[in-house]
Amino acid sequence: MLNIVIFGPPGAGKGTQAKKIAQQYRLVHLSTGDIFRANIKKKTPLGKLAQSYTDKGELVPDEVTIRMLESELNRHKSPRGIIFDGFPRTIAQAEALDNFLEDRGTAITIMLALEVHEEELISRIKSRALLEGRKDDADETVIKNRILEYNNKTAPLKDYYSLQGKSYPVQGVGTIDDIFHGLCEVIEQHLPKADDAQRAAGPDAQTSNKRSPRKPKKKVKKSPARKSSKKAGKKKSAKKPAKRSSKKRSSKKKRK
Ligand code: AMP
């Protein structure tokens, strides 16, 4: 499985990039912020509890968040991989996540840390408030409190994942596509090995990620064979002998 933690302060672009990564590599996207917001909207007991924290820009207590994440994980029986967005946010959450994954015979593959300076974060969050109407984006005191919570409780997770050799800082300023490209470069280096990757990444990822490095080799050698396979008819099996014979002929010529 390919399990990614997308990490960064509020406004770093975790949600935007997590969606793109989930689509590209066919991963389940788990966003604790989105789950809380959905519960707040439906006025569930979990939503009411969560709102008393989110409105102030505070983290929802660990035991509530961890329980919620576990039940979300249990909904996905055999995912190809998961991208965790907004979770973990404390050391206790990271430890709980490691345990959940270990019980399922897997682990976090990498943690991608989006790097964005504070002025940019505040300006992005204010623009998002206008676009998405999130209550916790609209008030500067709440925004500052969220950044404070991040610095105090969440930033230490960089060390937690660094100690496991899994933390990768990625430039979080630039166009959405440029940032996505930077993230993909790291992911590509950590894709599960051959067979596992086929299960983990699915058909789309196989096309977009795996073929590209092999393309040059195939292109150079195939062009003459393609012509002969057309002559040989539509059957695939006819292509191979055509290739071999043309190679043999050319090598004989060289020898002469
Ligand atoms: P987000 O959309 O990730 O910025 O989260 C919005 C709010 O939901 C946060 O400010 C927290 O109040 C709450 N929240 C989301 N994820 C977590 C988490 N892993 N732990 C505690 N609180 C969280």
Side-chain angles (χ1 to χ4, degrees):
M1 274 174 74
L2 175 63
N3 298 315
I4 301 173
V5 171
I6 184 121
F7 186 83
K14 298 187 294 293
T16 306
Q17 296 296 337
K19 276 182 206 133
K20 286 175 75 71
I21 293 170
Q23 197 178 12
Q24 174 80 8
Y25 297 98
R26 299 181 51 106
L27 307 177
V28 169
H29 175 199
L30 281 186
S31 158
T32 42
D34 283 352
I35 302 167
F36 283 136
R37 277 185 289 279
N39 277 277
I40 291 170
K41 206 171 167 188
K42 285 189 213 152
K43 297 190 166 65
T44 65
L46 172 66
K48 284 179 193 162
L49 176 71
Q51 191 166 17
S52 62
Y53 296 93
T54 57
D55 278 359
K56 289 183 273 182
E58 289 173 8
L59 291 187
V60 178
D62 279 341
E63 62 272 22
V64 176
T65 310
I66 290 169
R67 212 180 319 125
M68 176 186 86
L69 186 99
E70 187 175 20
S71 76
E72 278 298 315
L73 274 179
N74 288 337
R75 286 182 51 225
H76 302 280
K77 291 295 169 222
S78 47
R80 297 175 168 109
I82 302 173
I83 179 150
F84 296 92
D85 160 13
F87 188 95
R89 265 176 151 109
T90 62
I91 299 284
Q93 292 180 14
E95 287 171 349
L97 181 59
D98 280 350
N99 291 335
F100 292 153
L101 294 178
E102 199 183 332
D103 288 349
R104 289 164 178 77
T106 183
I108 290 297
T109 315
I110 42 172
M111 183 269 239
L112 300 167
L114 288 168
E115 304 217 307
V116 182
H117 54 87
E118 196 167 316
E119 268 174 43
E120 171 78 10
L121 294 175
I122 295 176
S123 113
R124 280 189 194 178
I125 293 174
K126 284 181 175 171
S127 325
R128 190 171 64 186
L130 302 173
L131 289 172
E132 294 176 18
R134 267 176 63 171
K135 207 177 165 187
D136 59 344
D137 282 346
D139 182 326
E140 187 143 353
T141 318
V142 175
I143 297 173
K144 289 210 164 136
N145 204 25
R146 285 160 66 198
I147 295 175
L148 203 70
E149 285 275 81
Y150 170 81
N151 289 332
N152 292 337
K153 298 178 184 169
T154 310
L157 286 177
K158 278 189 205 167
D159 287 343
Y160 180 88
Y161 286 107
S162 287
L163 284 171
Q164 296 184 16
K166 293 177 178 175
S167 173
Y168 292 85
V170 177
Q171 172 63 264
V173 181
T175 67
I176 290 176
D177 283 343
D178 284 346
I179 299 166
F180 179 59
H181 183 76
L183 293 164
C184 289
E185 269 182 6
V186 182
I187 297 170
E188 297 288 319
Q189 291 162 23
H190 294 88
L191 289 176
K193 281 176 211 151
D195 303 356
D196 214 14
Q198 286 180 2
R199 273 188 288 114
D204 287 357
Q206 283 168 40
T207 310
S208 57
N209 302 321
K210 294 197 149 190
R211 282 184 190 165
S212 52
R214 288 176 197 159
K215 256 183 191 169
K217 281 184 198 166
K218 284 181 183 172
K219 268 189 180 173
V220 176
K221 291 183 180 175
K222 265 195 172 177
S223 50
R226 267 186 202 148
K227 281 178 196 166
S228 55
S229 69
K230 273 182 192 168
K231 283 176 199 166
K234 284 178 187 175
K235 279 183 189 172
K236 277 185 182 176
S237 56
K239 284 181 183 174
K240 285 185 182 171
K243 258 194 221 171
R244 274 185 216 122
S245 59
S246 66
K247 271 183 197 169
K248 275 179 192 169
R249 257 180 251 132
S250 62
S251 60
K252 276 178 194 168
K253 273 179 200 168
K254 274 177 198 167
R255 269 178 223 140
K256 280 175 189 174

